[in-house]
């Protein structure tokens, strides 16, 4: 398609031909608009239809060294139980006003469960996952299936699955939760139900039943031959993730394809019934960079969150480099450029709203030159 | 799945077990949260995760008898041209604060073009349509293809299509625009480019080229065998819509299937390359009720807008009946019950965000008994 | 992928290193193979796995001037009715031995119905269509819906639809039937049921109910929102086909896209619920060439049949040109090159097994230079 | 849809109303048909369109105790090499005349490779797999990636993949090959190319590169995010298959879902990029029955082959029970009833043409009462 000359302009370079001189008539018109619940496009086109995404949310880093002690304090001061449901502390993007949203689509929290505590069962339309960067001893019970939570594991509770948690140890445990709460609330899609105050199963098996049925590479049980909207796998174990990344880097060492770019191994967690994302609104991935490497700088439509799992490095967001240590969480808003840079071997968990963008054909990526 | 006893409760019936007594420590904790850009879930669960959708947007009716004169006044007072781009007056849902959004996902405006006026070309990522309830004489030029706009027609300008409009007559013309501006802005997906100030083609053919290529029932040009994200049809003519509805009612008269419920004919506008919705984010339909009939009362996830095209009747929203006349626009927020009721033969154009809900598996419908 | 040097060889250029010298032991081995229902690959690789498709079916032309009189004779000599079911005379590819198959996948017949005759109702798993090149006066009743058959119409009776035919005039009528009988028989997928001897509806409406519900361009009844395996349209009328082709050529005259190649207009008949082929195993298209033009020579995996509808021209098959007149049928086996050449304006109906090839990812096309 | 009274009849119960008395005219007509390459439907409807599938192929069992010695003999008598390509001995269904087809769609052979032998590289459009019931020491090189072949492994070489085999040990090895050769030949879809006489890589790694990249449950490399027509996994290891089946039976022991029917564990091998079958035309599964159990008797459209991997039992085909021991192969034609019955714990590999049937919407299953 012809790219017209004007296509290069932005709003600031264009004089608004629709700005009439002030007059009593015009003031009356605008007042009538107000009365009738109307707002003209021509006075706010720049805001409504900017040249490219202009997110209100901002890039922001939450340090694990801040988060974890605050979670501990809340463990002391606030009981967990029915009504509040979870001792989860949401990361509130500073650009989104007084909302507990890490981005316009995503909610992210640190959740904390003390020794012997139980978070009661409930279910909701929102899709949820948990990712564990340290600790162990909690089981989450998903539709009656007890799922061990351990370091490096990704745990799913897709929309409408009943779930509760309990800590069987004498030590506390914390992890992060990711949900599509903002998207659900903005678009008015939320449903919620209370389940039993007690969990439906207090057993603590090493492997959940869903893993035993589904976690065999390239195999699908004949009893589960119908595709499901979300993944039937409730626990993606660190052992497998680590092994997959290790193999990609070894293949690169041997001169074979495997890494996504030089020095950069990465996997996407998938729904084995479709090969697609684990849940309809949330993408989850894990990335590993070799020491001294960087990812190609890119902009993407949609918001994304990283949590450092191992090692140290930095992220260059919109040209500004910021240090990242274990447990640190960083959000990158839509169309803001970013690149990860590894000091040591650098492991990061990532989640994003990419499935929303792709399913609605709103996705777009711009790759820039690498900066390191 | 077992529905637990608690599942019947709502937030007001459950005491929050996570409301600790006030204390200096607690106040310090909450203050630390603020400092660290954190917000606890347990104090705002009811707001964040309500039992069912609790839209901020409200049901609202805009009378055509108010809209049209205000559009006329703006035609006198405000020129149309580059920078403001369109003389479009957005319907601002009273519940959504100071935003020109008819719902959280949709923007709807009355656009007005005076005799001989031209709205310059531009394109954007937002998906757009126009629907005409009266008048004629404007051509919209979509990717260089001039498309006549006439009464009852649905006209598409899907994301990234260049488009401009001009009025070739000595009479003004008004119509409604529907876009996914709020969704694009909330989710930071918007791109915009200015095109030429003058239109690329001022000819005024009766049929656009896309219609000549694509509007043959059950046929697809071999030159267009690859599926497209949005419909290649730019104009859905009233002649066809009317005929399809007429036939459904005749089939009902003859005792054959065809109508969607007794006395209620309805069509969905589709992308002929897939059989699905015309654009990835917006559904468009047309409904016709026989005099004296009503649609079954229903609640649906997602927001919907009706415009009366012909006849008169009412809509019962959340139990309250309101009169609707030609041109009137009414928005129904998510999960609010509604039923249309026909005094005369009653024709309504409808658009909604249903494709968003369905593609993300967030759709849900509850049918109630009919009320009339 | 590297293309190795040997990749250019064919079987005749390669000596079989697996041809041992004759010996008693070898003869015993081959005899033992026979006994045990075994056959070695190494003695028949060339036949089993040739370098490219080597169809047993051959290109062949059936002249309408031969077919029609024979159909007339059978109308005199053979009654129509239960048991034989249809007065249909199958075109038997000379290369396929004593089988009534026009190709390995397709069956094609001329069917003839005399004045006042009725072909009783039945249904089967095989997908079927009829195409009419002359005459009128027969109605086919599909699942109880009477469908007029007229010149230029494509009529569908997809798998498992009940259907019968009757001639309401005092003149005979003939048309062609196309089915996937060979594919069904070879692969053992066939089911058949007898219906009533008398038709379920003898009325003779101009438009069938399915047309009244579905034949509105770009529109879909809300009562038919679930996708169907085969098209819900029972009759694709000549009026629409002709109009679509006419418009493509007019667009070409005006310098706009539309034709599939210069001077060549073409449409594919589609299932409006998916935009795909009308039935899972059979593709149907209509082609129109301007006088003096030719289609690009091509080879395709899968077999295809053309019937001339209007005008005259020729087909160059594997380098040999053969004249085609109205009603003539020609089959092109898999991977045999073909090009259509138009003397006058040249209209051809086409059907093929392309959906089988595409759904199983066996499709492949090779385009050569045009020959005229 | 109404099921008419006649629907219960079959061809033998219906008198053919289209059998005219013999006459000179009729004989002339039929002779003219012959001349013109035409065949009437009414004389052969029963054959062409039977009431249900009437396969020419028959159920048949090949005993491993017969197959393996004959493969050994051919190892002595017939060298392996270019031209014949493979020392593969096809199982020829006794019902299919002089064709090396195990069913109308599938080819199955025992392939034998002596100590130190090499089968040269080639590629073809046909999809192929190998399944190993005993032995080890052969590597198959697929697109340059050496893949170990060991007991219980399923190995894939989908259409157009280059592949060759070599035996690095001083003992022979035999396995079964499965391909869609009959389908490709009948439908004229075959392409074949010779590759190098020597293999492109003689290394013998324990794990192939494709396994190292793809065999991590629920994980997908970001470098492989585009879906592929066939599975990127070249080796499905016995270790995983065995573990998956073991877990299903343990879950059954514990009272949880998992098995496909009581006492019957089963997995399907899948393409991890889609969750669907490993190749477009061939389905592969593995079944395990507890001692003393039987599968529900069923008929299915399409042909299927079982090979006993471990244990003993029988198959009841069309009411006749036949003993099955390790290595035995049995083919069940379309719509023939079958049930597996386990004496001991009973392990069977299965392959079939089910993807063809499902993709073309020809699949159909009838479940009967269990027989044991």
């Amino acid at each position: 398609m012809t790219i017209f000359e004007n296509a290069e302009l932005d709003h600031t370079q264009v004089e608004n031909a629709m700005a009439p001189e002030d007059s009593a008539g015009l003031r009356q018109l605008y007042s009538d608009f107000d009365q009738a619940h109307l707002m003209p496009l021509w006075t706010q086109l720049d805001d409504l239809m900017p040249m490219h995404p202009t997110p209100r949310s901002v890039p922001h880093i939450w340090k694990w060294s801040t988060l974890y002690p605050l979670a501990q304090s809340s463990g002391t001061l606030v009981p967990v139980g029915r009504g509040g449901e979870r001792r989860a502390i949401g990361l509130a993007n500073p650009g989104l006003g007084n909302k507990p949203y890490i981005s316009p689509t995503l909610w992210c929290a640190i959740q904390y469960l003390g020794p012997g505590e139980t978070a009661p069962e409930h279910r909701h339309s929102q899709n949820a996952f948990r990712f564990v960067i340290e600790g162990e001893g909690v089981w989450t019970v998903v539709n009656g299936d007890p799922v061990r939570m351990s370091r490096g594991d990704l745990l799913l509770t897709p929309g409408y699955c009943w779930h509760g948690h309990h800590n069987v140890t004498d030590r506390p445990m914390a992890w992060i939760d990711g949900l599509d709460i903002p998207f659900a609330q903005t678009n008015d899609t939320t449903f919620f139900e209370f389940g039993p105050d007690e969990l439906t199963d207090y057993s603590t098996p090493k492997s959940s039943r869903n893993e035993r049925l589904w976690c065999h590479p390239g195999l699908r049980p004949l009893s589960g031959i119908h595709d499901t909207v979300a993944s039937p796998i409730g626990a993606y174990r660190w052992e497998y993730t680590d092994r997959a990344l290790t193999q990609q880097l070894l293949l690169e060492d041997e001169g074979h394809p495997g890494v996504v770019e030089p020095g950069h191994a990465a996997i996407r967690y998938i729904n084995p019934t479709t090969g697609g994302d684990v849940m309809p609104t949330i993408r989850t991935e894990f990335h590993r960079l070799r020491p001294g490497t960087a990812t190609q700088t890119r902009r993407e439509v949609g918001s994304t969150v990283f949590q450092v799992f191992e090692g140290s490095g930095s992220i260059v967001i919109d040209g500004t480099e910021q240090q990242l240590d274990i447990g640190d969480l960083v959000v990158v808003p839509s169309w803001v450029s970013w690149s990860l840079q590894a000091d040591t071997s650098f492991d990061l968990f990532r989640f994003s709203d990419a499935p929303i963008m792709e399913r609605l054909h709103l996705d777009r990526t711009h790759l820039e030159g690498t900066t390191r």
Side-chain angles (χ1 to χ4, degrees), chain A:
Chain A
M1 187 176 308
T2 317
I3 298 302
F4 300 110
E5 205 175 290
N6 282 355
E8 303 303 313
L9 301 176
D10 69 27
H11 288 302
T12 64
Q13 296 167 289
V14 169
E15 197 179 358
N16 190 340
M18 296 182 66
E21 288 200 13
D22 188 24
S23 71
L26 191 70
R27 268 176 277 149
Q28 183 60 46
L29 179 68
Y30 286 1
S31 163
D32 290 346
F33 282 171
D34 270 358
Q35 279 302 108
H37 297 294
L38 297 173
M39 299 182 68
L41 177 66
W42 58 85
T43 60
Q44 48 177 287
L45 181 73
D46 311 1
D47 287 339
L48 270 190
M49 304 183 87
M51 310 313 291
H52 55 73
T54 53
R56 288 194 306 127
S57 63
V58 296
H60 191 77
I61 294 173
W62 289 261
K63 302 296 289 180
W64 192 245
S65 56
T66 304
L67 288 179
Y68 193 83
L70 287 173
Q72 278 181 307
S73 296
S74 63
T76 314
L77 291 163
V78 182
V80 70
R82 179 57 78 217
E85 303 290 305
R86 300 291 184 260
R87 197 188 287 108
I89 309 161
L91 283 58
N93 192 298
L96 291 176
N98 207 26
K99 295 263 188 186
Y101 301 167
I102 199 166
S103 86
T105 50
L106 298 169
W107 185 83
C108 180
I110 179 170
Q111 186 173 159
Y112 185 91
L113 210 54
E117 286 187 336
T118 293
E121 295 210 2
H122 62 217
R123 69 172 183 172
H124 39 71
S125 55
Q126 289 93 342
N127 294 290
F129 71 83
R130 311 169 206 299
F131 182 75
V132 181
I133 70 150
E134 62 179 60
E136 59 183 345
V138 169
W139 267 253
T140 180
V141 180
V142 181
N143 283 341
D145 185 11
V147 183
R148 173 177 53 92
M149 296 176 64
S150 300
R151 182 173 177 277
D153 295 344
L154 170 70
L155 300 316
L156 301 188
T157 47
Y160 292 109
C161 289
W162 291 106
H163 58 284
H165 323 301
H166 69 124
N167 185 338
V168 301
T169 72
D170 55 6
R171 283 168 307 173
M173 185 176 167
W175 62 85
I176 65 159
D177 287 343
L179 286 88
D180 53 9
I181 290 176
F183 189 84
Q185 204 186 37
T186 303
N187 295 292
D188 301 316
T189 68
T190 181
F191 293 88
F192 186 97
E193 291 175 47
F194 293 108
D197 292 351
E198 296 300 309
L199 301 193
T200 47
D201 189 334
Y202 281 95
S203 66
T204 57
K206 179 159 188 260
S207 296
S208 52
R209 302 197 299 266
N210 67 77
E211 289 170 84
R212 294 164 62 192
L213 199 48
W214 282 97
C215 286
H216 310 285
L219 307 181
R220 188 169 175 170
L222 268 203
S223 56
I225 222 61
H226 293 292
D227 293 352
T228 50
V229 164
S231 176
I233 298 178
Y236 292 78
R237 297 297 175 195
W238 171 242
E239 163 194 9
Y240 299 126
T241 304
D242 184 40
R243 194 180 298 162
L245 298 166
T246 299
Q247 287 298 334
Q248 287 185 20
L249 293 177
L250 285 172
L251 284 167
E252 186 184 33
D253 286 338
E254 300 165 22
H256 294 301
V259 293
V260 65
E261 60 186 333
H264 178 188
I267 56 89
R268 185 171 296 167
Y269 301 94
I270 59 166
N271 174 350
T273 73
T274 63
D277 285 298
V278 290
M279 298 186 293
T281 53
I282 301 180
R283 172 164 296 166
T284 52
E285 296 178 349
F286 201 101
H287 295 255
R288 173 173 292 172
L289 275 72
R290 291 184 194 272
T293 61
T295 65
Q296 189 173 7
T297 300
R298 62 177 58 212
R299 298 168 186 273
E300 293 161 316
V301 165
S303 48
T304 199
V305 178
F306 293 96
Q307 185 178 32
V308 178
F309 179 70
E310 193 66 87
S312 66
S314 57
I315 187 168
V316 182
I317 307 185
D318 204 12
T320 301
E321 183 168 351
Q322 307 215 51
Q323 182 65 22
L324 293 176
D325 300 298
I326 291 179
D328 292 355
L329 287 139
V330 54
V331 62
V332 183
S334 184
W335 212 238
V336 174
S337 72
W338 62 270
S339 168
L340 295 168
Q341 314 207 344
D343 295 332
T344 66
S345 177
F346 198 27
D347 276 12
L348 299 103
F349 171 74
R350 179 188 188 184
F351 68 100
S352 74
D353 57 11
I356 297 174
M357 302 306 153
E358 292 182 5
R359 286 166 188 236
L360 302 177
H361 297 280
L362 303 169
D363 57 307
R364 194 163 155 174
T365 297
H366 178 72
L367 294 173
E368 300 174 16
T370 48
T371 58
R372 202 175 192 176

